[in-house]
Amino acid sequence: MRIVTLLAPLIARLAPFARRLRPRYPRPGRTGWRRWVPSCRQWLGVVSTAVGLTGLFLAVAYAVTDIPEDLNAYATQQDNVYFWSDGTPMARTGWVQRQAMRLKDIPEDVRWAVLAAENESFYSDPGVSFKGLTRALWRTVGQGDTQGGSTITQQYVKNVYLNQDQTVSRKFTEAMIALKLDNRLSKDEILEGYLNTSWFGRGTYGIQRAAQAYYGKDANELNASQAAFLASLLKGAGLYDPTLSAANHHRAVERWNWILDRMVKIGRLSPSERAGYRTFPEPLKQNPLYDTGQQSDYLVELASQYAKKAGHLSDRQFDLGGYQIYTTFDRKREAALDDVVTKARKKVRQTDPDAAATAHYGVASLATDGRILAVYGGPDHRKQGYNESNAGTVPAGSAFLPFVYAAGLEHGVVRRRDAPREKVTPRSLYNGDDGVPVSTPEGPYWNRSGKKVTAHNDGRKSWGRITLREALAKSVNTPFMQLGMDTGLDKVKQTSQAAGLLSSSMGPQVPALSLGSSTPSAIRMASGYATFAAAGQHVEPYSVRRVTRNGSAVRLDLPDAHRAVSAQVAGEVTQALADSFRSAHPDAAPAAAAVSGKAGIVADDTAAWYVGTARAVSTAVVVYRMDLAKSLEPLPLKGLAGTAADSAPYDIWAGAMGPLR
């Protein structure tokens, strides 16, 4: 009542005007049909009221509409792209094919091709086309759909904040947010966002992925003609991808011509430049962006794990995408490795199908500076996620002897209680006979069953007194089992880990440790032998050399070199391994070639190895049998690894290494 009392004087003053606006029918002083037509004053009042109410409604709507805090998942998620060591794309991962680009990295011709096609007044409009909005709303009411009428700002709002529903309410909300966004962000920021979130077909979002999908190049390499075609796809990739149908091709050529002509009309392309674009820039027949599968999945797995660890990236950060991971993997080496193992598998399938069904081949090639160059992880990651190159599953056997040899040369030995350590050399003599009891400085070594522990050679062969260098070259076990005890198994373990083996893979600290009871992966065995070839300097294996996110570098903690053994000791081990290679394969390499390597045999015949180095690259090959559906227990090889004269691990090693020059 108080409000009515206060407003009463105002109402009294306005009442005469309201009475004048109130239509009186039939109108006095008029005849015929004119008696029923409102006066000009009444028409003016109605229009003014409608305009006022509309303005008030829009002002209130603008005030209460907020720019959403959360972007659509598809607007922020990107894919991660992996590159070979030569910079060519290797694989991509993620649900969305998108890689954002900064506007400054997108050529002017590309930007203006899009603006000419979609919104040439972009830099001067308020973010909304009222004429286009009215047309779109009219079509919605009249025909049930919304077409056209959107500025780039509105399209960007739809891409990142709203859904694709074709409704009046969504269109109105889009316009309100667009107006606010245009006041909050610069035009360049809006254009950058639009170019990075728009759908271009072929599973791609953003201009960068579109350039790669249709032309196999980055967006900064596009010319105006190619850009004009890509801009046409914004109208609807299903209608303008020329590879889908003849009708599409016709539409694409027409729109391409129209966009180039528009660029000339708005002064963004000279007539002479336009004259140079008379031939339609045919896109690639299919998207060349390589998806993962088979060996590449094993590589991606290694690289992603390393990138997250070295770059201190959480799983959530990494899964949001946008990362470019530049790996150390050598494309040609990987292809050669895959080919040689595939042939080995095929050969076994032909000779022994039962053994082939449970056969496993783990291979890794590393540079002496720690770079992982190639791996063979299994037949197909989609069928077997278990990476055989990175699995510590089977014993190293006699392939472990170089680590015992290095430990003895590095630390010396203690043969008697309380005696000082003595130096041993490659020429030091040890008993190479089969069945020699293992002794400690206190006397014979007894196992838990109360029996003396003895060492055995392959084939139970006795060699008599033999130098350590010759024993390594000929893979005589008994001297190294004793050398391990004389050196100290703790020193053997310490040296092995310093050279590259993981503590988690080391066997129990008992005499059998020296004969390879440890279960290192192929990657780690290759790393250990690489340490000897690198003059005793060890670098932890790494698979990623550089990571960027949308062009900005991500800091990586890359490994540094550290000394594992002295250069002299490393040289002595390498010479013994060179003797081993030459004695087993005298004609495999020229006399001047620096090649070293050694076979590894496991006592119970459950695994066979070959590890060797040439041209600063170390490769480890392990062959074993295991039925993963039943257990992780290795099965007998049953001839799977071939014979000493025709060794499958060596053949794979030689194929992976290439010509030994």
Side-chain angles (χ1 to χ4, degrees):
M1 294 297 294
R2 180 179 175 81
I3 296 175
V4 173
T5 302
L6 292 172
L7 293 178
L10 178 62
I11 295 173
R13 299 183 68 176
L14 294 176
F17 297 99
R19 281 194 294 271
R20 291 180 187 177
L21 290 174
R22 185 183 64 184
R24 297 174 60 190
Y25 296 102
R27 290 176 62 195
R30 298 286 190 274
T31 60
W33 60 269
R34 292 181 178 83
R35 299 172 63 198
W36 305 99
V37 177
S39 67
C40 293
R41 185 182 301 170
Q42 290 170 334
W43 276 117
L44 180 62
V46 170
V47 171
S48 298
T49 302
V51 170
L53 290 175
T54 301
L56 178 63
F57 172 75
L58 291 176
V60 171
Y62 181 84
V64 301
T65 300
D66 292 322
I67 298 176
E69 301 250 343
D70 298 326
L71 303 182
N72 291 335
Y74 278 100
T76 56
Q77 190 174 2
Q78 302 179 55
D79 54 4
N80 291 324
V81 187
Y82 298 78
F83 298 88
W84 294 103
S85 59
D86 62 4
T88 56
M90 181 183 81
R92 67 166 187 87
T93 59
W95 294 104
V96 178
Q97 285 195 40
R98 176 188 290 119
Q99 284 279 305
M101 285 191 80
R102 293 171 294 189
L103 189 66
K104 67 178 184 179
D105 297 326
I106 301 174
E108 289 271 348
D109 282 346
V110 177
R111 301 184 217 171
W112 279 102
V114 171
L115 293 174
E118 296 292 308
N119 186 189
E120 65 184 61
S121 63
F122 169 73
Y123 278 102
S124 60
D125 66 39
V128 173
S129 169
F130 293 102
K131 178 181 177 182
L133 182 61
T134 303
R135 184 172 64 250
L137 292 174
W138 175 256
R139 290 184 65 87
T140 300
V141 174
Q143 299 182 21
D145 64 354
T146 57
Q147 296 181 12
S150 292
T151 65
I152 277 180
T153 307
Q154 289 174 263
Q155 292 180 56
Y156 175 57
V157 167
K158 181 176 65 175
N159 289 346
V160 300
Y161 296 118
L162 305 175
N163 55 42
Q164 304 299 312
D165 292 345
Q166 302 293 318
T167 63
V168 173
S169 61
R170 200 275 297 156
K171 196 74 179 175
F172 183 78
T173 303
E174 171 192 298
M176 291 298 103
I177 296 176
L179 284 170
K180 280 204 166 182
L181 199 69
D182 195 74
N183 288 326
R184 179 178 297 183
L185 301 180
S186 70
K187 288 291 189 178
D188 280 351
E189 288 175 315
I190 294 172
L191 181 58
E192 178 180 298
Y194 175 74
L195 290 173
N196 284 320
T197 57
S198 295
W199 167 254
F200 284 87
R202 294 194 178 184
T204 64
Y205 289 83
I207 192 68
Q208 170 72 340
R209 275 286 170 268
Q212 294 170 340
Y214 288 93
Y215 290 110
K217 60 175 67 175
D218 290 336
N220 58 13
E221 298 174 341
L222 294 171
N223 59 35
S225 176
Q226 295 164 334
F229 162 68
L230 293 181
S232 72
L233 297 170
L234 294 168
K235 196 76 171 174
L239 294 173
Y240 291 94
D241 184 343
T243 63
L244 299 180
S245 68
N248 271 24
H249 193 281
H250 178 72
R251 278 191 292 267
V253 172
E254 276 194 342
R255 187 154 179 81
W256 166 76
N257 272 309
W258 179 83
I259 292 172
L260 288 174
D261 290 341
R262 293 292 298 171
M263 291 179 71
V264 174
K265 184 176 180 180
I266 63 177
R268 295 298 171 175
L269 191 68
S270 70
S272 61
E273 289 175 314
R274 173 65 179 95
Y277 298 130
R278 293 300 176 191
T279 303
F280 180 68
E282 298 287 350
L284 300 172
K285 296 297 182 185
Q286 59 186 10
N287 189 340
L289 293 174
Y290 186 77
D291 206 346
T292 54
Q294 299 185 0
Q295 286 306 304
S296 63
D297 272 347
Y298 297 109
L299 304 181
V300 165
E301 181 182 57
L302 287 173
S304 63
Q305 290 173 352
Y306 190 84
K308 286 186 281 189
K309 179 181 177 182
H312 304 284
L313 301 171
S314 67
D315 288 341
R316 183 178 181 279
Q317 286 175 303
F318 198 75
D319 289 345
L320 283 175
Y323 293 95
Q324 299 82 43
I325 299 98
Y326 296 86
T327 74
T328 60
F329 302 126
D330 185 301
R331 186 159 49 100
K332 293 180 180 178
R333 283 186 179 275
E334 185 65 37
L337 179 53
D338 188 27
D339 181 60
V340 71
V341 179
T342 300
K343 289 178 179 176
R345 284 186 177 278
K346 183 177 180 181
K347 181 179 178 181
V348 174
R349 282 197 300 269
Q350 293 172 343
T351 58
D352 192 341
D354 292 336
T358 54
H360 295 271
Y361 301 79
V363 190
S365 291
L366 273 70
T368 53
D369 61 7
R371 288 174 294 128
I372 302 177
L373 303 178
V375 301
Y376 184 89
D380 189 334
H381 190 276
R382 292 167 294 192
K383 298 176 181 177
Q384 178 193 296
Y386 173 77
N387 187 342
E388 294 162 0
S389 73
N390 198 33
T393 308
V394 294
S398 53
F400 185 80
L401 300 185
F403 299 101
V404 184
Y405 185 45
L409 296 179
E410 182 77 12
H411 298 287
V413 298
V414 177
R415 293 194 175 97
R416 299 180 307 279
R417 178 185 293 198
D418 299 327
R421 283 194 173 269
E422 306 173 27
K423 184 178 181 179
V424 292
T425 71
R427 294 176 297 280
S428 296
L429 293 171
Y430 269 74
N431 190 342
D433 287 340
D434 184 69
V436 176
V438 177
S439 63
T440 70
E442 289 79 19
Y445 185 93
W446 303 82
N447 63 21
R448 292 184 177 181
S449 301
K451 296 181 180 180
K452 290 182 180 180
V453 174
T454 58
H456 295 283
N457 296 320
D458 295 335
R460 298 298 178 102
K461 181 178 179 180
S462 291
W463 296 80
R465 301 286 287 177
I466 188 172
T467 67
L468 288 175
R469 177 169 174 171
E470 186 180 6
L472 181 59
K474 295 181 178 178
S475 200
V476 183
N477 290 337
T478 52
F480 289 99
M481 199 166 187
Q482 185 57 55
L483 178 63
M485 298 303 294
D486 293 345
T487 303
L489 296 177
D490 59 331
K491 301 292 185 185
V492 172
K493 184 177 180 179
Q494 174 188 329
T495 301
S496 302
Q497 291 178 212
L501 304 194
L502 296 176
S503 60
S504 59
S505 71
M506 300 303 296
Q509 211 158 290
V510 297
L513 175 69
S514 298
L515 297 189
S517 62
S518 299
T519 56
S521 66
I523 289 176
R524 288 293 168 171
M525 282 295 280
S527 177
Y529 276 52
T531 298
F532 301 133
Q537 290 277 74
H538 173 68
V539 181
E540 278 289 286
Y542 66 100
S543 56
V544 177
R545 56 188 175 82
R546 184 165 66 96
V547 174
T548 60
R549 188 167 196 270
N550 298 335
S552 300
V554 175
R555 187 180 67 84
L556 292 184
D557 293 335
L558 294 177
D560 296 321
H562 72 266
R563 182 153 296 285
V565 295
S566 69
Q568 181 181 355
V569 167
E572 296 288 3
V573 176
T574 299
Q575 288 179 21
L577 290 173
D579 292 346
S580 175
F581 174 81
R582 297 289 177 186
S583 62
H585 310 282
D587 302 320
V595 185
S596 59
K598 186 183 185 314
I601 299 172
V602 177
D604 55 5
D605 192 37
T606 54
W609 291 79
Y610 197 88
V611 191
T613 306
R615 301 186 306 280
V617 174
S618 178
T619 296
V621 181
V622 60
V623 178
Y624 58 99
R625 287 182 62 228
M626 185 179 291
D627 189 343
L628 294 173
K630 294 181 179 179
S631 75
L632 295 179
E633 249 345 275
L635 302 171
L637 284 172
K638 292 185 177 179
L640 180 68
T643 64
D646 183 20
S647 163
Y650 172 77
D651 289 342
I652 292 172
W653 179 87
M657 296 296 282
L660 300 173
R661 296 186 292 273

